[in-house]
Amino acid sequence: MSSESHAGLPKRPPTPHHTPRITGPSAIPSHLPSQRRGSPGLAHFNTAPAEIAEATLLACCGSRRWALRMVAHRPYPDLDALLAASDEAGYDLAPADLSEALAGESSAGPHPGAPQAAHTALSAAHAAYESRFGHAFVISLDGHRPDEYLDQVLAGIRTRLTHDPDEERAVSAEELRGLARSRLAHVVANHPESDVAGASR
């Protein structure tokens, strides 16, 4: 979705879990007391044309069924209701929906300024994970500082490589729910219009 699609709805917010930068801005926490009610972002989301809202949601989670369900239940009175609906829809994803959502993710790399050893280690870890499970490694890094992201991703991959495929799909589904919450919280945060319109993926 281009930034011109709707002035109040950004493209996928810049979270560190799927973008090329591990040390980029941290995900917006799901607890935003000042944004609970009256958020311009939530108002824009509630009133946007269905196709625009759907595109915004697909940038938060790549399951079309999840996005359509979220659109159908608008308007949401506050952020809590939106995030609760996101979780509920996420728990109801069928295996094909989860596969669709995972296919929309991409493995994160370290900050371009990171040492070459970090690039090498993370590239090898992602390659091993993707070879074993057939999809990108996804992890929600809420609650961690940017300087912890790289270590958390490497540790997460090492641990999760020991899972069997069914166990790892369950873990990935849980991480995707966390990512969707963070991305939705970012979408409805009270950004200035110029920042919202120019938000980058």
Side-chain angles (χ1 to χ4, degrees):
M1 181 176 69
S2 71
S3 60
E4 292 79 22
S5 296
H6 191 270
L9 297 175
K11 293 180 281 185
R12 177 177 290 186
T15 56
H17 331 93
H18 58 86
T19 64
R21 299 185 301 139
I22 285 294
T23 55
S26 62
I28 304 297
S30 58
H31 302 294
L32 298 173
S34 64
Q35 302 299 326
R36 294 295 184 196
R37 296 184 180 277
S39 165
L42 183 58
H44 283 304
F45 174 75
N46 280 333
T47 59
E51 65 272 17
I52 299 301
E54 180 187 342
T56 300
L57 287 162
L58 285 171
C60 296
C61 175
S63 164
R64 180 170 171 79
R65 180 168 176 258
W66 177 88
L68 290 173
R69 177 169 170 174
M70 293 292 293
V71 170
H73 287 131
R74 294 183 303 165
Y76 297 94
D78 52 37
L79 180 60
D80 284 336
L82 177 68
L83 297 183
S86 172
D87 284 344
E88 183 178 354
Y91 282 114
D92 287 345
L93 292 182
D97 301 319
L98 177 58
S99 294
E100 181 184 31
L102 288 171
E105 299 292 328
S106 57
S107 297
H111 189 281
Q116 184 58 44
H119 287 268
T120 301
L122 195 58
S123 177
H126 279 308
Y129 180 92
E130 292 171 17
S131 175
R132 175 161 171 73
F133 297 113
H135 59 77
F137 176 77
V138 291
I139 185 170
S140 175
L141 295 171
D142 280 357
H144 295 285
R145 301 188 311 271
D147 61 357
E148 298 175 325
Y149 293 163
L150 179 59
D151 287 342
Q152 288 298 316
V153 170
L154 288 172
I157 292 175
R158 283 195 296 269
T159 297
R160 288 163 60 181
L161 277 171
T162 66
H163 294 170
D164 63 46
D166 288 341
E167 182 182 12
E168 180 54 25
R169 280 182 72 82
V171 173
S172 295
E174 183 63 29
E175 295 295 334
L176 279 172
R177 285 189 288 273
L179 288 175
R181 288 177 63 92
S182 294
R183 292 163 180 169
L184 281 170
H186 181 94
V187 165
V188 302
N190 188 10
H191 296 289
E193 286 297 321
S194 59
D195 179 56
V196 170
S200 61
R201 181 171 180 171

